[in-house]
Amino acid sequence: MNHDVIITCALTGAGDTTARSPHVPVTPKQIAEAAVEAAKAGATVVHCHVRDPQTGRFSRDVALYREVMERIREADVDIIVNLTAGMGGDLEIGPGECPTEFGPGTDLVGPLTRLAHVEALLPEICTLDCGTLNFGDGNTIYVSTPTQLRSGAQRITELGVKAELEIFDTGHLWFAKQMIAEGLLHDPLFQLCLGIPWGAPADTTTMKAMVDNLPGGATWAAFGIGRMQMPMAAQAVLLGGNVRVGLEDNLWLEKGVLATNGQLVERVSEILTRLGARILTPAQGREKMNLARRG
């Protein structure tokens, strides 16, 4: 069991969730306020996407990320900021016998363009999604090829930003370790992402298999989506890891009750402290993850 736990709160994500809950933050101001709420509830890290304030859809706009970062840094809380670098990998295959007629959900750019906001803002942590995946139950694929990943990993290392490797299936973990062996990444974090169709399922057997294949001494976390958010958080800590909760992955506090990010942090904190763990502050989290705080 891990007795010193880092809680990450994933605030908004990129999914089509804004119409399903009024608590999903959209504007930079709302996202920054959600970060402050999560920090005051006890989160160690906030994981941030941005959205187009007019449409609520996902965005890669550097200016939106900058506003979120500035608002968080101006707030009266300490929190570690983890920016996604996964946007720009969506490919919606065309229908039927016209697969190259890519759909409106396509947002496909190169690996360095996906890091434009990271390069501009230098957060403490950014993510790297470690492989291609059938994402959901339609025609959308998340594309992240070995060549693209090597390029992105090298640039993240050059920038001095800590990489959090997003692992959606066992092959992603295999390739993540290959990048470490090639010297492209040094002391990265690992995030085991469970329950996204059609990646690794959210169950104990799958999480245990992935944990058993992590590099020795790795700092890792895991999450499940939807109703499996809290069970997978407890399971991760029992297996020695850290946790992620938040509205990116789950909208509900309990049946029929929509959650806020702060409420999800409070709920998982209660579960974990009752198991005998303590929740690390951002300062303690930086020490555990070997982070150098940025101004």
Side-chain angles (χ1 to χ4, degrees), residues 61-294:
D61 189 333
V62 175
L64 296 175
Y65 279 105
R66 179 175 286 109
E67 183 178 347
V68 169
M69 290 283 287
E70 288 175 351
R71 287 180 177 275
I72 292 173
R73 287 170 172 165
E74 290 169 358
D76 61 345
V77 298
D78 183 22
I79 194 72
I80 298 166
V81 175
N82 173 346
L83 296 185
T84 183
M87 304 309 298
D90 295 330
L91 178 61
E92 184 180 346
I93 299 298
E97 300 305 309
C98 303
T100 59
E101 295 180 6
F102 301 141
T106 297
D107 177 42
L108 194 61
V109 299
L112 299 185
T113 301
R114 298 183 200 185
L115 291 168
H117 60 296
V118 175
E119 185 154 359
L121 301 172
L122 297 177
E124 294 181 80
I125 305 171
C126 76
T127 63
L128 184 66
D129 295 355
C130 284
T132 298
L133 180 73
N134 286 332
F135 204 87
D137 206 24
N139 265 348
T140 299
I141 298 171
Y142 181 79
V143 177
S144 196
T145 68
T147 297
Q148 290 174 324
L149 282 166
R150 287 185 171 100
S151 179
Q154 181 174 335
R155 188 60 184 141
I156 291 168
T157 298
E158 291 169 350
L159 292 171
V161 175
K162 176 77 73 171
E164 181 185 82
L165 306 182
E166 307 294 282
I167 307 298
F168 293 87
D169 216 340
T170 52
H172 297 183
L173 179 54
W174 184 8
F175 189 72
K177 293 193 294 184
Q178 179 63 28
M179 290 191 288
I180 295 171
E182 293 175 9
L184 297 170
L185 295 164
H186 307 290
D187 189 31
L189 311 170
F190 290 81
Q191 182 73 258
L192 308 181
C193 312
L194 307 177
I196 295 98
W198 295 103
D203 59 49
T204 297
T205 302
T206 301
M207 188 188 293
K208 178 68 163 55
M210 296 172 99
V211 171
D212 288 346
N213 279 283
L214 288 167
T219 300
W220 66 276
F223 70 86
I225 65 169
R227 68 178 62 188
M228 295 305 292
Q229 185 167 86
M230 296 301 163
M232 290 296 97
Q235 184 63 82
V237 169
L238 291 172
L239 289 174
N242 302 287
V243 304
R244 173 172 129 173
V245 296
L247 295 181
E248 176 173 351
D249 308 320
N250 165 49
L251 299 177
W252 301 95
L253 186 65
E254 55 193 58
K255 187 174 182 180
V257 180
L258 290 165
T260 69
N261 281 297
Q263 288 172 331
L264 292 172
V265 173
E266 290 171 351
R267 176 64 55 87
V268 79
S269 296
E270 179 183 1
I271 292 169
L272 300 182
T273 54
R274 287 178 179 270
L275 288 174
R278 71 166 178 150
I279 310 306
L280 297 188
T281 66
Q284 293 165 334
R286 289 185 183 96
E287 183 176 357
K288 182 170 182 175
M289 293 184 285
N290 297 318
L291 297 176
R293 185 178 180 185
R294 301 181 184 276

